[in-house]
Amino acid sequence: MGFALTVIEILIASILVIGFVNEEKLANFENKVFLFIKRKIRKARRNRAAVRCHYVSRPAVVNSANKYCA
């Protein structure tokens, strides 16, 4: 039992050391993921706004054309 705990402690310590060494890489990766998600959200909002405007303006054009053609 004591051997297993020692092995687990060594693994945890090595993971922590590797984490501290690669902390900057992890921060850069998180920043890239954050920017990727941010761009996707902006693009989705822009596309949704464009679709909304398209559907809103289309009936207005049709109704105005019907008024003058009738």
Side-chain angles (χ1 to χ4, degrees):
M1 186 72 181
F3 177 73
L5 288 177
T6 305
V7 170
I8 292 172
E9 289 173 354
I10 291 171
L11 286 173
I12 291 173
S14 61
I15 289 170
L16 287 173
V17 168
I18 291 170
F20 286 131
V21 169
N22 294 325
E23 185 177 5
E24 186 176 341
K25 291 180 183 177
L26 180 63
N28 290 339
F29 174 74
E30 289 174 348
N31 194 21
K32 287 180 184 178
V33 170
F34 173 73
L35 290 175
F36 175 78
I37 293 171
K38 187 176 174 182
R39 287 182 191 130
K40 288 290 184 182
I41 291 172
R42 281 185 182 170
K43 186 176 179 182
R45 285 183 182 167
R46 203 172 346 157
N47 288 343
R48 191 172 9 150
V51 168
R52 255 194 232 142
C53 291
H54 176 70
Y55 286 126
V56 169
S57 63
R58 193 172 196 184
V61 171
V62 171
N63 288 340
S64 66
N66 288 341
K67 283 181 192 175
Y68 294 112
C69 292

